[in-house]
Short mmCIF file of all heavy atoms in Angstrom, two decimals:
data_model
loop_
_atom_site.label_atom_id
_atom_site.label_comp_id
_atom_site.label_asym_id
_atom_site.label_seq_id
_atom_site.Cartn_x
_atom_site.Cartn_y
_atom_site.Cartn_z
N PHE A 1 -5.72 66.54 -73.60
CA PHE A 1 -5.02 65.30 -73.35
C PHE A 1 -5.38 64.82 -71.95
O PHE A 1 -5.86 65.59 -71.12
CB PHE A 1 -3.50 65.43 -73.52
CG PHE A 1 -2.81 66.21 -72.45
CD1 PHE A 1 -2.23 65.56 -71.38
CD2 PHE A 1 -2.73 67.59 -72.52
CE1 PHE A 1 -1.58 66.27 -70.39
CE2 PHE A 1 -2.09 68.31 -71.54
CZ PHE A 1 -1.51 67.65 -70.47
N SER A 2 -5.16 63.54 -71.71
CA SER A 2 -5.54 62.95 -70.44
C SER A 2 -4.41 62.11 -69.89
O SER A 2 -3.66 61.48 -70.65
CB SER A 2 -6.79 62.09 -70.64
OG SER A 2 -7.20 61.55 -69.42
N THR A 3 -4.33 62.09 -68.58
CA THR A 3 -3.31 61.28 -67.92
C THR A 3 -3.84 60.81 -66.57
O THR A 3 -4.30 61.61 -65.76
CB THR A 3 -2.00 62.08 -67.76
OG1 THR A 3 -1.02 61.22 -67.17
CG2 THR A 3 -2.16 63.32 -66.93
N PRO A 4 -3.85 59.50 -66.32
CA PRO A 4 -4.30 58.99 -65.03
C PRO A 4 -3.19 59.10 -63.98
O PRO A 4 -2.01 59.22 -64.30
CB PRO A 4 -4.61 57.52 -65.33
CG PRO A 4 -3.69 57.18 -66.45
CD PRO A 4 -3.53 58.43 -67.26
N TRP A 5 -3.60 59.03 -62.72
CA TRP A 5 -2.61 59.00 -61.65
C TRP A 5 -1.95 57.65 -61.54
O TRP A 5 -0.78 57.53 -61.19
CB TRP A 5 -3.25 59.35 -60.31
CG TRP A 5 -3.43 60.83 -60.14
CD1 TRP A 5 -4.60 61.53 -60.24
CD2 TRP A 5 -2.41 61.79 -59.90
NE1 TRP A 5 -4.37 62.87 -60.07
CE2 TRP A 5 -3.03 63.06 -59.86
CE3 TRP A 5 -1.04 61.72 -59.71
CZ2 TRP A 5 -2.32 64.23 -59.63
CZ3 TRP A 5 -0.33 62.89 -59.48
CH2 TRP A 5 -0.98 64.12 -59.45
N SER A 6 -2.72 56.58 -61.83
CA SER A 6 -2.18 55.24 -61.67
C SER A 6 -2.98 54.26 -62.51
O SER A 6 -4.19 54.44 -62.68
CB SER A 6 -2.27 54.82 -60.20
OG SER A 6 -1.91 53.47 -60.03
N PRO A 7 -2.33 53.21 -62.99
CA PRO A 7 -3.10 52.12 -63.57
C PRO A 7 -3.95 51.47 -62.48
O PRO A 7 -3.69 51.66 -61.28
CB PRO A 7 -2.02 51.14 -64.04
CG PRO A 7 -0.76 51.93 -64.11
CD PRO A 7 -0.90 53.00 -63.07
N PRO A 8 -4.96 50.70 -62.86
CA PRO A 8 -5.75 49.98 -61.85
C PRO A 8 -4.85 49.09 -60.98
O PRO A 8 -3.86 48.53 -61.47
CB PRO A 8 -6.71 49.13 -62.69
CG PRO A 8 -6.80 49.84 -64.00
CD PRO A 8 -5.44 50.45 -64.22
N ALA A 9 -5.20 48.96 -59.74
CA ALA A 9 -4.38 48.20 -58.79
C ALA A 9 -4.12 46.78 -59.26
O ALA A 9 -3.00 46.27 -59.11
CB ALA A 9 -5.04 48.21 -57.42
N TRP A 10 -5.12 46.13 -59.85
CA TRP A 10 -4.95 44.72 -60.24
C TRP A 10 -3.96 44.55 -61.38
O TRP A 10 -3.50 43.43 -61.64
CB TRP A 10 -6.30 44.09 -60.59
CG TRP A 10 -7.04 44.73 -61.73
CD1 TRP A 10 -7.94 45.75 -61.66
CD2 TRP A 10 -6.96 44.37 -63.11
NE1 TRP A 10 -8.42 46.06 -62.91
CE2 TRP A 10 -7.84 45.23 -63.82
CE3 TRP A 10 -6.23 43.41 -63.82
CZ2 TRP A 10 -8.01 45.16 -65.20
CZ3 TRP A 10 -6.39 43.34 -65.20
CH2 TRP A 10 -7.27 44.20 -65.87
N MET A 11 -3.56 45.63 -62.04
CA MET A 11 -2.58 45.55 -63.13
C MET A 11 -1.16 45.77 -62.63
O MET A 11 -0.20 45.68 -63.40
CB MET A 11 -2.88 46.60 -64.20
CG MET A 11 -4.11 46.35 -64.99
SD MET A 11 -4.24 47.60 -66.27
CE MET A 11 -5.75 47.09 -67.06
N LYS A 12 -1.01 46.04 -61.34
CA LYS A 12 0.29 46.43 -60.80
C LYS A 12 0.82 45.43 -59.78
O LYS A 12 0.06 44.73 -59.13
CB LYS A 12 0.15 47.80 -60.11
CG LYS A 12 -0.24 48.90 -61.06
CD LYS A 12 -0.62 50.18 -60.39
CE LYS A 12 0.08 50.47 -59.11
NZ LYS A 12 -0.34 51.69 -58.46
N THR A 13 2.14 45.44 -59.64
CA THR A 13 2.74 44.67 -58.57
C THR A 13 2.25 45.26 -57.25
O THR A 13 2.08 46.47 -57.13
CB THR A 13 4.28 44.73 -58.63
OG1 THR A 13 4.69 46.10 -58.54
CG2 THR A 13 4.82 44.13 -59.91
N GLY A 14 1.97 44.44 -56.29
CA GLY A 14 1.49 44.90 -55.00
C GLY A 14 -0.01 45.05 -54.93
O GLY A 14 -0.57 45.24 -53.87
N ASP A 15 -0.71 44.97 -56.09
CA ASP A 15 -2.17 45.07 -56.13
C ASP A 15 -2.72 46.26 -55.36
O ASP A 15 -3.74 46.16 -54.68
CB ASP A 15 -2.81 43.77 -55.64
CG ASP A 15 -2.50 42.60 -56.56
OD1 ASP A 15 -2.66 42.75 -57.78
OD2 ASP A 15 -2.08 41.54 -56.06
N SER A 16 -2.05 47.38 -55.43
CA SER A 16 -2.48 48.59 -54.74
C SER A 16 -2.31 49.79 -55.67
O SER A 16 -1.42 49.80 -56.52
CB SER A 16 -1.63 48.80 -53.48
OG SER A 16 -1.91 50.07 -52.90
N LEU A 17 -3.16 50.79 -55.50
CA LEU A 17 -2.97 52.03 -56.25
C LEU A 17 -1.74 52.77 -55.76
O LEU A 17 -1.12 53.53 -56.49
CB LEU A 17 -4.19 52.94 -56.10
CG LEU A 17 -5.45 52.47 -56.82
CD1 LEU A 17 -6.61 53.41 -56.52
CD2 LEU A 17 -5.22 52.37 -58.31
N LEU A 18 -1.37 52.56 -54.51
CA LEU A 18 -0.24 53.27 -53.89
C LEU A 18 1.04 52.47 -54.07
O LEU A 18 1.36 51.59 -53.29
CB LEU A 18 -0.51 53.50 -52.41
CG LEU A 18 -1.79 54.24 -52.07
CD1 LEU A 18 -1.97 54.34 -50.56
CD2 LEU A 18 -1.81 55.61 -52.71
N GLY A 19 1.78 52.78 -55.12
CA GLY A 19 3.07 52.12 -55.34
C GLY A 19 3.01 51.01 -56.36
O GLY A 19 2.02 50.82 -57.05
N GLY A 20 4.11 50.29 -56.43
CA GLY A 20 4.22 49.20 -57.37
C GLY A 20 4.53 49.69 -58.77
O GLY A 20 4.78 50.87 -59.01
N SER A 21 4.53 48.77 -59.70
CA SER A 21 4.76 49.09 -61.10
C SER A 21 3.86 48.21 -61.96
O SER A 21 3.31 47.22 -61.48
CB SER A 21 6.23 48.90 -61.46
OG SER A 21 6.63 47.58 -61.21
N MET A 22 3.71 48.59 -63.20
CA MET A 22 2.86 47.82 -64.12
C MET A 22 3.42 46.42 -64.31
O MET A 22 4.63 46.22 -64.41
CB MET A 22 2.80 48.49 -65.49
CG MET A 22 1.78 49.56 -65.62
SD MET A 22 0.08 49.00 -65.51
CE MET A 22 -0.10 48.07 -67.01
N ARG A 23 2.52 45.47 -64.37
CA ARG A 23 2.90 44.12 -64.79
C ARG A 23 2.85 44.13 -66.32
O ARG A 23 1.82 44.48 -66.91
CB ARG A 23 1.94 43.09 -64.22
CG ARG A 23 2.01 42.97 -62.73
CD ARG A 23 1.01 41.93 -62.22
NE ARG A 23 1.21 41.68 -60.83
CZ ARG A 23 0.26 41.80 -59.91
NH1 ARG A 23 -0.96 42.18 -60.24
NH2 ARG A 23 0.52 41.53 -58.65
N LYS A 24 3.95 43.78 -66.94
CA LYS A 24 4.06 43.91 -68.39
C LYS A 24 2.97 43.15 -69.14
O LYS A 24 2.52 43.59 -70.20
CB LYS A 24 5.43 43.45 -68.87
CG LYS A 24 6.54 44.42 -68.50
CD LYS A 24 7.86 43.99 -69.08
CE LYS A 24 8.93 44.99 -68.72
NZ LYS A 24 10.21 44.68 -69.32
N HIS A 25 2.51 42.05 -68.61
CA HIS A 25 1.50 41.28 -69.34
C HIS A 25 0.13 41.98 -69.36
O HIS A 25 -0.78 41.53 -70.03
CB HIS A 25 1.40 39.84 -68.82
CG HIS A 25 1.00 39.71 -67.37
ND1 HIS A 25 1.92 39.75 -66.35
CD2 HIS A 25 -0.19 39.53 -66.79
CE1 HIS A 25 1.29 39.62 -65.20
NE2 HIS A 25 0.02 39.48 -65.44
#
């Protein structure tokens, strides 16, 4: 099985790998 540390920054609030949350769209 596989699990990433974070979604891509551009998919998240804050546009950063460090923090934020997924944008539902």
Side-chain angles (χ1 to χ4, degrees):
F1 72 96
S2 182
T3 183
W5 280 105
S6 173
W10 61 270
M11 291 184 180
K12 297 170 32 182
T13 59
D15 295 312
S16 172
L17 290 176
L18 304 177
S21 58
M22 275 294 291
R23 293 180 172 124
K24 288 184 179 184
H25 61 274

